[in-house]
Every structure is written in C-alpha cells, then in structure tokens.
Amino acid sequence: FNIEPRVLQDLATRLKNGESVVADSPAESDCYQLIKDLDHIGGHVQGSLTNKKYMRNEIWSLISYKGAPSWYITLSPADERHPICLYFADDRRVFRPFIKDERLRRLLVSKNPVAGARFFHLMVHNFIKHVLGVYPEH
C-alpha cells in the first residue's frame, strides 16, 4: 500500500467526530484496508480492543446458543469466619479447631493480607477445579 498520511489523518479525524465516511478515492480505500489489517492483527493481541470485541462477540454467541447464565457466585477475598483463612493468618503450625472471638478474627486476618490472598487463591482454584471441571495449574 501507498498510504498518504494526510488522507489517513483526515479519515481518522472524520471518524473520531462520528461522521459516516465512505471511501471516495483509491487513497481512502488503501487507508481503510490498512485499518482493517491492523484490526485483524489486533484480534490476536491479548487485551487489545479488537481482542475484547472478539470475546464480547463470543460471549453473545454463547448466550444466544446456550442461554444466559442463571446463577452468580460471589467470593469473599478475606473471610474471617472461615477456618482455613484463619489458619493461614495465624502463626501456629498445627491447626486447632478453637473458634476465636469476632474482634480477634478480624484483627488476625487484617494484619496478614497475604493470608487473605492465599485463601482467595485457594477458593478460586477449588471453584474452577470442582465446579467448572477445569484443572488449572497451581
């Protein structure tokens, strides 16, 4: 392609302003082909706008084919009531099923954010493995 920067800038400005632009000249057609090629390449780049557009289209296709999801799950990243989270947050090596009072549990988990992160990671990993049936690498 022989892309003219002035024509490309003019097209970009008109498209940015929301105009409906039709390629009237071979130079504009070449610019549109360049945009199309860049868009195609962007579909393979993780996190790009085109990649996100493709994922949205895939989600809508799945919803159209399978139906909308009918359940939602909320996970708590630092659950001060869960014994595993409390075990991760505590400095004891041996687990004892002693239930601490609420203030002490919150203090224990809040002083150790890594324990909350480890607990969240464990819960998400187990959810993916046991509910979704996918075995992620640990």
Side-chain angles (χ1 to χ4, degrees):
F1 298 109
N2 187 12
I3 303 299
E4 295 180 29
R6 179 188 53 78
V7 175
L8 186 60
Q9 181 63 45
D10 180 55
L11 277 177
T13 303
R14 289 168 48 199
L15 288 169
K16 183 179 176 182
N17 292 335
E19 293 180 38
S20 178
V21 182
V22 179
D24 294 331
S25 68
E28 288 180 351
S29 295
D30 288 345
C31 289
Y32 270 120
Q33 186 61 44
L34 175 67
I35 292 169
K36 183 179 174 184
D37 291 345
L38 289 173
D39 196 45
H40 177 72
I41 292 168
H44 302 289
V45 177
Q46 291 291 328
S48 70
L49 292 176
T50 305
N51 184 259
K52 291 176 184 177
K53 179 176 72 173
Y54 289 169
M55 287 191 289
R56 273 192 302 275
N57 289 340
E58 188 174 351
I59 288 169
W60 281 113
S61 297
L62 282 169
I63 288 172
S64 174
Y65 179 71
K66 297 261 188 185
S70 58
W71 48 271
Y72 301 94
I73 294 181
T74 303
L75 300 171
S76 174
D79 189 358
E80 70 266 5
R81 292 187 183 111
H82 201 286
I84 294 175
C85 187
L86 293 171
Y87 172 73
F88 285 159
D90 206 347
D91 57 352
R92 296 183 181 165
R93 298 282 179 213
V94 178
F95 176 75
R96 301 238 194 283
F98 172 75
I99 309 235
K100 299 170 174 47
D101 67 86
E102 184 176 341
R103 187 181 81 44
L104 185 59
R105 288 190 314 238
R106 284 190 180 161
L107 185 64
L108 194 63
V109 173
S110 66
K111 281 189 170 185
N112 192 344
V114 174
R118 286 181 62 201
F119 175 72
F120 184 73
H121 175 78
L122 177 73
M123 290 294 118
V124 170
H125 182 271
N126 285 333
F127 173 80
I128 292 170
K129 181 178 176 183
H130 297 292
V131 175
L132 300 179
V134 178
Y135 297 94
E137 293 183 23
H138 204 48

